[in-house]
Structure formats: C-alpha cells, structure tokens
Amino acid sequence: MYKRVDGVRIKMTREEIAQRQIDDKEYADDAPNRKLRTLRNIRTSLLEEADHKIWTLEDLGSDASEWRTYRQKLRDITKAEDLDNVTWPTKPS
C-alpha cells in the first residue's frame, strides 16, 4: 500500500497499513448509521412541511387527517429494515 506525501508516492509502513485497515473497517461498520442520519435529515424537512400543512388546514377548519397519516408514515420510516430501499410515503393532494 502506498500514500502520497507532498505529491510523492511513498510505501506505507506495516503500522500505517494496520491502522488504515482498522479505519476502513470502522467506516464500513458505521454505514448503517450514516444511512439512518441521511434518512432522518430528509425526513425532518418533510415532517416540517407536513406540520405546516396540518396547522394551516386546522386553522381553516379543514380535515387534516390525511396529512396526519402521512406524517405518521414519515415517522415510521426509520423503522425500515432495508435502509437502501426505503419507500417514501406519497404526500396527500
């Protein structure tokens, strides 16, 4: 294995290779957590939008039940078993 130092290709020491392998394993092992964080970030903005819609409909005296159901489906999405193939709920019209 090699590394670059100031643009020069240098062979890594055994200790550097061992540390690199540890770092690579830790990164790979953390993949589910990174996916979950990304999922939550997307979900947060969708939840905020749903909340706003619910408040607006309720202020107008309209039925917001479809939006509440949509919001609950968003909250449940982090329970998905396969974070690579999440099916996002459809927004009410």
Side-chain angles (χ1 to χ4, degrees):
M1 259 186 177
Y2 293 88
K3 63 181 179 179
R4 288 213 176 264
V5 177
D6 296 328
V8 177
R9 187 174 177 216
I10 299 172
K11 191 168 185 170
M12 294 172 74
T13 65
R14 285 185 185 145
E15 293 82 11
E16 289 172 325
I17 292 170
Q19 185 60 52
R20 174 68 182 267
Q21 290 170 338
I22 290 168
D23 294 345
D24 288 349
K25 182 175 181 339
E26 287 176 358
Y27 183 80
D29 290 347
D30 193 46
N33 293 324
R34 286 193 311 277
K35 288 176 187 173
L36 190 56
R37 281 191 301 271
T38 300
L39 185 76
R40 284 184 172 146
N41 287 338
I42 294 167
R43 182 190 69 174
T44 296
S45 64
L46 294 172
L47 284 170
E48 289 171 356
E49 178 186 9
D51 287 345
H52 178 73
K53 191 67 173 179
I54 291 168
W55 298 330
T56 302
L57 288 170
E58 287 176 347
D59 285 346
L60 296 172
S62 299
D63 182 21
S65 60
E66 287 182 3
W67 281 92
R68 281 192 210 90
T69 300
Y70 168 72
R71 188 181 193 288
Q72 186 58 53
K73 287 179 183 178
L74 288 173
R75 291 189 53 78
D76 292 341
I77 208 159
T78 55
K79 297 174 187 173
E81 291 184 24
D82 184 0
L83 296 178
D84 291 322
N85 295 305
V86 170
T87 301
W88 292 92
T90 304
K91 290 181 192 177
S93 48

